C-alpha cells in the first residue's frame, strides 16, 4: 500500500513581526484540509507551525507533484492570507509569489518536501521544520543521520544499514544534481555539502542490498530558494524535511541525535547572520531574540494506513535542554560581533539579502585606485 506524504509550508503573515503564526491562520488551514479529507482527496493531515511559517502536513494516494494536492495547498495558503490581510498581520501573503496557480506549487514561493513510499508494517516518520534559516541547514544533520557512524550506531551494528545509502545532492545555484553513494563517496559527498548555501541534500535512497524498494526515498528535504524565484529578498527559505526511521533505517534516536548540538546555520535576523540552530518544543516555536535564534521542531509519527498517529513533540524533552542552553551561550557569543563576519554572512550570501540596496548608494562615492 503506497502512501504519499507531502509537507508544504509558507509564510503568509506573522504576529507580531515575523515571530509566529496567528492561531486563526491554523484554524483556517485545518478547515480547508478537513474538507479535502472529507472529499477523499487527503487520507489525513496535520497543521503545524514553526516561527512565522504555516505548515501543512498531508497524506494521500496521488503521488508526488500531484496537481490536486499542490492546488489544495496553494488555495489553503490563499485562504489563510485573506485572514492575514484582514488582521493586518506582518508580511501577509509574503511567500505567495505568484498570482495564479498553474499546475505545480514548486517555484511559486512555498517550500515542499514530499515522498511516496510503500507503508511498512511499522512506519516511523519524523517531520522537521525550521524557521529563520535555509535548506542547506539540513546538510549537517542528514549527513550525520545517514552517513556518520559516530552518530548512527546502526551504520556499523545493523546488517541492514552497513552498506550505507545513496544521496541525491542538488547544486541549487546552477540547477544540477548528482547522486553519491556512502561510504564509498563519503569524502566527495562532504566536499560538496559543506558548502551548504550552494549544495543541498535533496533525497536519500536505499542501496541495492536493502530490502526496501530502491526507487522510494527514505528522506527528503525542501530546496526552494525564494530569492531565485522572486529575484529579490523576500525572507529566508525556511526549510522542512521528512525522515523515515527504524527497521533497516536509522532509529528514531539516531535521527534526533544531530540536534543535540546547536550547530551554526545561516539566516537569523534579516536572513543575514550565522547563528546556532536551537531545537525547541512546539510551544517555543516562535522567533524572538534578534528574530531568532533559528529554531527547529520535530514532529514524530507512526503512519497507519496513511493516517498520522501523532504528532509527538520530540524536542519537548529535557534531553535537549543542554542543546538549548548551549544555543543561548553561542547566541550571546556570536552576537557580540554585530555587523562583522562571520556573524554577518559573507558577501556572496549577502547578495540574497537587502544589503545590495544599501551598497548601491555608495557606488558613486568610490574612487579608482592607481
Ligand atoms: C528573517 C526575517 C526577519 C526579517 C526582519 C525584517 O528571515 O524574516 O528577520 O528579515 O524582521 O523584516 P521586515 O523587512 O519585514 O521589517
Ligand atoms: Mg515572515
Ligand atoms: Mg519564516
Amino acid at each position: 500500500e503506497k502512501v504519499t506524504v507531502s509537507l508544504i509550508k509558507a509564510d503568509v503573515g506573522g504576529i507580531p513581526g515575523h515571530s509566529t503564526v496567528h492561531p486563526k491562520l491554523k484554524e483556517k488551514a485545518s478547515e480547508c484540509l478537513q474538507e479535502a479529507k472529507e472529499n477523499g482527496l487527503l487520507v489525513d493531515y496535520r497543521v503545524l507551525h514553526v516561527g512565522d511559517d504555516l505548515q501543512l502536513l498531508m497524506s494521500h494516494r496521488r503521488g508526488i507533484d500531484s496537481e490536486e494536492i499542490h492546488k489544495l495547498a496553494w488555495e489553503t495558503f490563499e485562504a489563510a492570507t485573506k485572514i492575514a490581510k484582514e488582521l493586518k498581520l506582518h508580511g501577509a501573503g509574503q511567500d505567495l509569489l505568484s498570482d495564479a496557480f498553474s499546475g505545480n506549487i514548486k517555484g511559486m514561493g512555498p517550500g515542499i518536501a514530499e515522498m511516496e513510499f510503500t507503508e511498512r508494517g511499522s512506519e516511523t516518520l519524523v517531520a522537521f521544520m525550521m524557521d529563520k534559516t535555509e535548506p542547506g541547514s539540513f546538510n549537517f544533520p542528514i549527513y550525520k543521520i545517514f552517513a556518520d557512524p559516530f552518530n548512527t550506531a546502526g551504520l556499523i551494528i545493523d546488517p541492514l544499514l552497513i552498506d550505507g545509502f545513496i544521496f541525491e545532492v542538488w547544486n541549487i545555484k546552477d540547477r544540477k544534481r548528482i547522486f553519491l553513494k556512502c561510504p564509498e563517496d563519503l569524502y566527495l559527498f562532504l566536499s560538496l555539502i559543506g558548502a551548504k548555501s550552494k549544495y543541498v541534500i535533496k533525497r536519500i535512497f536505499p542501496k541495492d542490498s536493502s530490502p526496501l524498494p530502491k526507487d522510494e526515498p527514505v528522506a527528503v528535504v525542501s530546496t526552494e530558494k525564494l530569492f531565485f524565484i522572486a529575484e529579490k529578498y523576500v525572507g529566508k527559505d525556511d526549510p522542512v524535511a521528512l525522515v523515515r526511521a527504524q527497521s533497516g533505517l536509522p532509529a528514531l534516536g539516531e535521527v534526533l541525535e544531530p540536534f543535540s548540538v546547536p550547530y551554526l546555520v545561516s539566516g537569523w535576523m534579516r536572513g543575514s547572520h550565522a547563528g546556532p540552530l536551537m531545537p525547541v518544543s512546539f510551544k517555543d516555536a516562535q522567533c524572538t531574540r534578534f528574530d531568532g535564534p533559528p529554531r527547529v521542531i520535530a514532529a514524530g509519527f507512526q503512519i497507519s494506513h496513511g493516517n498520522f498517529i501523532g504528532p509527538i513533540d520530540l524536542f519537548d524533552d529535557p534531553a535537549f535542554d543542554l542543546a538549548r542552553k548551549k544555543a543561548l551561550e553561542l547566541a550571546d557569543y556570536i552576537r557580540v560581533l554585530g555587523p562583522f563576519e562571520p556573524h554577518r554572512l559573507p558577501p556572496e550570501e549577502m547578495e540574497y539579502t537587502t544589503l545590495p540596496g544599501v551598497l548601491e548608494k555608495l557606488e558613486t562615492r568610490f574612487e579608482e585606485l592607481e
Side-chain angles (χ1 to χ4, degrees), residues 11 18 52 90 94 132 233 235-236 238 268-271 290-291:
D11 176 351
H18 295 277
D52 55 4
H90 188 66
Q94 81 165 47
K132 303 293 182 273
Y233 180 72
K236 271 279 181 227
D238 311 320
W268 207 351
M269 175 58 78
R270 297 174 186 276
F290 201 53
D291 283 3

Side-chain angles (χ1 to χ4, degrees), residues 274-289:
L277 182 72
M278 186 160 79
V280 294
S281 66
F282 298 171
K283 83 169 163 25
D284 292 326
Q286 59 176 16
C287 289
T288 51
R289 181 175 179 193

Side-chain angles (χ1 to χ4, degrees), residues 61-107:
R61 308 285 181 201
R62 315 270 161 147
I64 65 164
D65 287 325
S66 153
E67 177 162 351
E68 288 154 292
I69 299 295
H70 286 205
K71 187 160 185 266
L72 169 67
W74 182 259
E75 287 175 353
T76 302
F77 291 133
E78 278 186 331
T81 297
K82 199 163 161 259
I83 297 177
K85 286 189 171 154
E86 278 161 24
L87 300 176
K88 288 184 68 179
L89 300 185
H90 188 66
Q94 81 165 47
D95 284 356
L96 305 190
L97 302 178
S98 189
D99 294 332
F101 181 77
S102 58
N104 194 304
I105 205 162
K106 281 184 203 158

